[in-house]
Amino acid sequence: MVREKISVSTRTLKWKCVESRADSKRLYYGRFILSPLMKGQADTIGIAMRKALLGEIEGTCITRAKSEKIPHEYSTIVGIQESVHEILMNLKEIVLRSNLYGTRDASICVKGPGYVTAQDIILPPSVEIVDNTQHIANLTGPINLCIELKIERNRGYRIQTPNDFQDASYPIDAVFMPVRNANHSIHSYVNGNEKQEILFLEICTNGSLTPKEALHEASRNLIDLFIPFLHAEEENFHLKNNKHKVTLPLFLFHEKLAKLRKKKKEIALKYIFIDQSELPPRIYNCLKRSNIHTLLDLLNNSPDELMKMQNFRIEDVKHILDILEMEKNFA
């Protein structure tokens, strides 16, 4: 445990970690302060940060399991102590750490007797397990347990319905949130004739990231959400019948991409990755989740397909246009 004395500056706004500890591999705790704030500001920031910590940070977990030996979710298998439902619940508790996008495959293939734990999962290179000791099943006889798994990165949580079956595979309730709990409290004090506040933030994570990392990521996500309001000029988009359909910007977007395609002898679009472009994290994540990795991938998507991407916004077109213009000038 790390504890520090709280010092309040009346000159500049500062934050500090005043307590940090790891209660277990899957439970990290951090306590932070931000000060000095004017009256009412601590509550404004605290509420926004709590929502961002719980809802805006992405996590990775197992979302589906499949085995030829499983007739249905509530069945039992000879040679396995746990029921199928209990095995699925144990898989739900496994905490993963990764930066993958989309869905990845993993598997378990163990011969009994013996205990099956998280360390028996064969994972793709981009994924690692936070706690390898997590129990999955107890094989009481000489039985082969083989399970195919699907791993996904997302945010929030997703409760699976009983009818959500695909190819005899079983859905698992997905809790993507790496932040398990977030609370804020306020300490008020008088500085001269002015009433000021100190904001305390308490963050508990599942071990896939530290509370400090969660605080940084939530802050970046909040800032990214407010960036459109910081533009000096208002973007004027042509709207028809108040249906908010974008016309000119997206046509310009694909017109510039078409010009780049004509210059394919100078620029190999498939070798220009969006990782090389200075895109905001949210736009970058939107494109990656849609398997758009290069400018060529971007060109092969229609305007309607782009606007259907999760969290992709009208104002994002301007950022991409700017990137394309820079690539063109660079060429």
Side-chain angles (χ1 to χ4, degrees):
M1 184 189 303
V2 178
R3 290 183 179 273
E4 299 181 14
K5 292 183 178 180
I6 300 175
S7 58
V8 179
S9 170
T10 58
R11 297 179 181 178
T12 57
L13 196 63
K14 294 183 179 181
W15 76 276
K16 180 185 292 187
C17 177
V18 294
E19 186 176 349
S20 176
R21 67 173 187 262
D23 294 333
S24 68
K25 290 183 178 180
R26 290 182 290 164
L27 183 58
Y28 285 24
Y29 172 84
R31 191 164 182 252
F32 307 87
I33 63 168
L34 180 67
S35 67
L37 296 164
M38 297 175 62
K39 183 180 179 181
Q41 289 182 338
D43 202 37
T44 300
I45 297 173
I47 293 173
M49 283 301 302
R50 184 176 185 274
K51 288 184 174 293
L53 285 163
L54 294 175
E56 296 296 327
I57 301 179
E58 294 182 339
T60 305
C61 62
I62 299 171
T63 59
R64 191 169 288 275
K66 177 182 179 181
S67 177
E68 300 296 335
K69 294 184 178 182
I70 300 178
H72 59 81
E73 182 180 352
Y74 297 99
S75 62
T76 58
I77 301 175
V78 177
I80 302 180
Q81 179 176 313
E82 292 81 3
S83 66
V84 174
H85 180 73
E86 289 172 325
I87 293 175
L88 294 177
M89 291 300 100
N90 290 337
L91 290 172
K92 176 183 174 182
E93 294 300 318
I94 294 175
V95 178
L96 302 174
R97 181 190 293 116
S98 79
N99 57 358
L100 65 81
Y101 291 92
T103 303
R104 297 291 187 274
D105 294 325
S107 63
I108 300 173
C109 196
V110 181
K111 183 175 182 179
Y115 290 99
V116 182
T117 62
Q119 69 178 354
D120 295 309
I121 301 177
I122 302 172
L123 295 167
S126 57
V127 184
E128 59 180 293
I129 297 172
V130 171
D131 184 5
N132 284 325
T133 65
Q134 169 66 39
H135 178 75
I136 297 176
N138 179 18
L139 308 184
T140 58
I143 181 175
N144 290 325
L145 177 64
C146 293
I147 304 176
E148 298 176 21
L149 304 172
K150 293 291 184 182
I151 296 174
E152 186 179 341
R153 181 177 176 87
N154 212 317
R155 63 178 183 172
Y157 60 91
R158 185 170 64 217
I159 304 300
Q160 304 289 4
T161 61
N163 297 325
D164 189 14
F165 297 105
Q166 298 175 6
D167 301 325
S169 63
Y170 296 86
I172 299 174
D173 292 342
V175 182
F176 297 104
M177 301 181 294
V179 176
R180 292 299 189 226
N181 194 17
N183 291 301
H184 79 279
S185 57
I186 301 168
H187 172 70
S188 301
Y189 65 98
V190 177
N191 183 17
N193 295 326
E194 185 179 4
K195 188 174 182 180
Q196 296 183 335
E197 297 176 338
I198 301 175
L199 172 65
F200 290 84
L201 280 171
E202 292 182 291
I203 304 171
C204 293
T205 69
N206 64 0
S208 62
L209 77 173
T210 66
K212 184 177 179 180
E213 290 170 336
L215 184 64
H216 287 177
E217 187 168 344
S219 300
R220 285 196 300 266
N221 290 340
L222 271 180
I223 292 170
D224 196 45
L225 288 172
F226 287 105
I227 282 177
F229 297 109
L230 299 179
H231 296 312
E233 69 281 355
E234 180 182 355
E235 298 289 349
N236 293 317
F237 296 108
H238 295 281
L239 304 180
K240 186 178 181 180
N241 297 329
N242 200 28
K243 293 183 179 179
H244 302 282
K245 296 183 72 174
V246 185
T247 54
L248 181 60
L250 283 175
F251 282 122
L252 287 176
F253 169 65
H254 279 269
E255 180 184 346
K256 292 197 175 185
L257 275 176
K259 290 180 180 178
L260 282 176
R261 171 174 273 178
K262 290 178 181 179
K263 298 178 65 178
K264 61 183 177 181
K265 292 183 180 179
E266 302 175 32
I267 304 175
L269 293 178
K270 66 179 180 180
Y271 295 120
I272 302 179
F273 293 87
I274 63 172
D275 308 64
Q276 302 168 250
S277 305
E278 297 181 358
L279 289 170
R282 182 178 51 75
I283 301 178
Y284 173 83
N285 292 339
C286 286
L287 297 178
K288 279 289 189 178
R289 277 195 294 265
S290 300
N291 292 320
I292 297 176
H293 306 289
T294 67
L295 290 186
L296 184 60
D297 296 334
L298 203 56
L299 179 61
N300 291 333
N301 280 266
S302 68
D304 290 338
E305 289 172 333
L306 285 174
M307 295 310 298
K308 287 178 181 178
M309 291 192 304
Q310 184 180 7
N311 299 327
F312 193 82
R313 304 170 183 170
I314 294 176
E315 59 269 17
D316 297 341
V317 176
K318 184 177 184 300
H319 288 286
I320 297 178
L321 284 173
D322 293 339
I323 295 298
L324 294 175
E325 191 65 34
M326 285 190 294
E327 295 289 353
K328 178 182 175 182
N329 294 334
F330 181 75

